[in-house]
């Protein structure tokens, strides 16, 4: 039951991120990549402060002692280290993605970014993690599904493609870093530190190269708020909570559904219809997710 709950949290994360592609596209019409990322991360960090307060209040009302709450939060040094590490990696990944989108098509960016579902298990091998044989089949199905879903032209590696490929590599590291720290500390607190760190890191090049104006930020208030509140404050926190004690490869497969949801969001919000090839890609992706869960269920039943 706990595994199902974690998977649903990760699936909701993918849904929010998929819809955020619309916000990212619109927001870039008004502000630069570093400005957009810095402001949305700062917003995400601020949004989590009342969430932390409310969660602590709820725990006290449920009878949890201060000692138990302190133990659940984890060591302060580990919490701070985890939040800063996640924030630095997130700042690098999100910045590479924003710049990459400027120089390549959305279809290419969606496919190449989702390559982290292949890179996560590959990097996991170097960290001593084992890969179930069925997961390899699921990874192949997911990549093939993303190809049918996102690719609309011949794949060639331009500057934008290269930046997004680097983004996929850094997002793979981000998933593994979260996988390491999330079981040790309070996920929401680590998420708040993560966004504050990412916002500060992106703010440095923002002031050096982009010279942001308040009028531009006010013009982009809606996409910035969605990206900050939902994509950062809500979705990344759900990712941290959902990845707690979860298989990082399965988590990456679930999170890669953001590409599916981005296409669906374009269909529902922008009126863009799905072709037969894109629908086939969705079927392959969902099939990979279902297959990835079967071995774990069989072991629990036995």
């Amino acid at each position: 039951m706990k595994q199902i709950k974690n998977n649903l949290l990760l699936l909701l994360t993918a849904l929010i991120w998929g819809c955020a592609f619309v916000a990212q596209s619109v927001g870039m019409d008004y502000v630069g990549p570093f400005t957009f990322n810095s402001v949305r991360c700062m917003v995400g960090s601020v949004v989590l402060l009342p969430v932390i307060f409310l969660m602590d209040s709820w725990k006290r009302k449920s009878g949890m002692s201060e000692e138990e709450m302190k133990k659940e939060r984890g060591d302060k040094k580990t919490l701070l280290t985890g939040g800063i590490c996640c924030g630095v990696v997130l700042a690098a990944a999100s910045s590479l993605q924003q710049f990459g989108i400027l120089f390549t098509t959305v279809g290419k960016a969606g496919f190449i970014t989702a390559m982290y579902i292949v890179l996560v298990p590959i990097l996991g091998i170097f960290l001593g993690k084992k890969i179930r044989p069925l997961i390899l089949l699921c990874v192949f199905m997911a990549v093939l599904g993303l190809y049918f879903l996102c690719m609309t032209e011949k794949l060639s590696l331009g500057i934008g493609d290269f930046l997004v490929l680097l983004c996929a590599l850094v997002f793979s590291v981000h998933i593994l870093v979260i996988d390491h720290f999330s079981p040790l500390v309070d996920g929401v607190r680590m998420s708040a530190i993560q966004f504050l760190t990412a916002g500060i890191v992106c703010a440095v090049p923002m002031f050096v190269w982009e010279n942001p104006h308040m009028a531009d930020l006010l013009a982009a208030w809606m996409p910035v708020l969605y990206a900050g509140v939902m994509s950062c404050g809500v979705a990344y926190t759900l990712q941290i909570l959902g990845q707690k004690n979860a298989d990082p490869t399965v988590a990456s497969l679930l999170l890669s559904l953001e590409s599916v949801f981005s296409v669906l969001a374009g269909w529902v919000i922008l009126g863009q219809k799905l072709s037969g090839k894109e629908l086939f890609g969705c079927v392959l992706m969902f099939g990979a997710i279902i297959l990835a869960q079967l071995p774990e269920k069989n072991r629990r039943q036995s």
Side-chain angles (χ1 to χ4, degrees):
M1 182 61 69
K2 187 175 181 180
Q3 185 63 45
I4 294 177
K5 178 183 177 182
N6 288 348
N7 291 344
L8 289 176
L9 291 177
L10 293 172
L11 190 63
L12 181 57
T13 300
L15 174 61
I16 295 173
W17 282 345
C19 295
F21 271 99
V22 177
Q24 286 180 261
S25 177
V26 175
M28 292 282 284
D29 293 336
Y30 302 96
V31 295
F34 288 121
T35 301
F36 185 86
N37 282 333
S38 179
V39 175
R40 78 168 185 171
C41 285
M42 291 292 189
V43 170
S45 182
V46 172
V47 166
L48 291 180
L49 296 180
V51 174
I52 293 172
F53 176 78
L54 291 174
M55 289 184 67
D56 286 347
S57 299
W58 179 80
K59 290 175 183 178
R60 291 189 183 96
K61 291 180 180 179
S62 65
M64 184 177 291
S65 65
E66 290 295 331
E67 188 65 28
E68 290 174 327
M69 291 174 60
K70 185 177 180 181
K71 184 178 180 181
E72 187 180 76
R73 292 168 192 164
D75 178 67
K76 289 184 178 180
K77 183 178 180 180
T78 304
L79 175 63
L80 187 61
T81 302
I84 292 175
C85 289
C86 290
V88 171
V89 178
L90 175 62
S94 58
S95 296
L96 286 168
Q97 184 184 58
Q98 288 296 116
F99 274 102
I101 292 175
L102 291 175
F103 300 104
T104 190
T105 63
V106 173
K108 282 186 178 182
F111 176 72
I112 298 172
T113 300
M115 290 299 290
Y116 64 73
I117 69 174
V118 177
L119 295 173
V120 165
I122 293 176
L123 292 178
I125 293 175
F126 295 99
L127 298 176
K129 296 181 180 293
K130 296 181 179 180
I131 303 178
R132 290 176 286 150
L134 186 60
I135 291 295
L136 295 176
L137 174 62
C138 293
V139 168
F140 173 77
M141 289 179 60
V143 172
L144 187 62
L146 284 167
Y147 176 85
F148 284 112
L149 178 65
C150 299
M151 294 302 294
T152 57
E153 55 190 86
K154 184 179 179 181
L155 180 63
S156 57
L157 194 64
I159 180 63
D161 303 330
F162 180 69
L163 290 174
V164 178
L165 184 59
L166 287 179
C167 155
L169 177 61
V170 180
F171 267 129
S172 302
V173 176
H174 185 248
I175 289 175
L176 293 174
V177 172
I178 289 177
D179 180 62
H180 174 74
F181 284 104
S182 60
L184 306 176
V185 297
D186 178 82
V188 181
R189 281 177 167 79
M190 188 174 79
S191 185
I193 297 172
Q194 169 186 240
F195 290 124
L196 178 61
T197 301
I200 293 173
V201 170
C202 290
V204 175
M206 174 187 75
F207 286 114
V208 172
W209 291 309
E210 293 183 352
N211 191 26
H213 297 284
M214 184 58 66
D216 296 330
L217 289 173
L218 292 177
W221 71 269
M222 186 176 294
V224 168
L225 278 183
Y226 180 87
V229 176
M230 296 300 296
S231 183
C232 288
V234 176
Y236 275 107
T237 302
L238 291 177
Q239 179 195 10
I240 289 176
L241 296 177
Q243 274 195 239
K244 204 159 191 170
N245 302 317
D247 184 334
T249 304
V250 174
S252 67
L253 284 168
L254 286 166
L255 294 174
S256 71
L257 279 174
E258 67 175 294
S259 295
V260 178
F261 289 126
S262 67
V263 174
L264 293 175
W267 179 32
V268 175
I269 300 174
L270 304 177
Q272 299 173 345
K273 295 182 179 180
L274 292 172
S275 66
K277 186 178 74 170
E278 291 169 332
L279 288 172
F280 181 63
C282 291
V283 171
L284 284 177
M285 282 294 302
F286 279 107
I289 299 305
I290 294 173
L291 286 176
Q293 308 307 308
L294 292 180
E296 291 295 328
K297 291 182 179 180
N298 290 339
R299 276 203 293 271
R300 285 198 298 268
Q301 290 174 356
S302 60

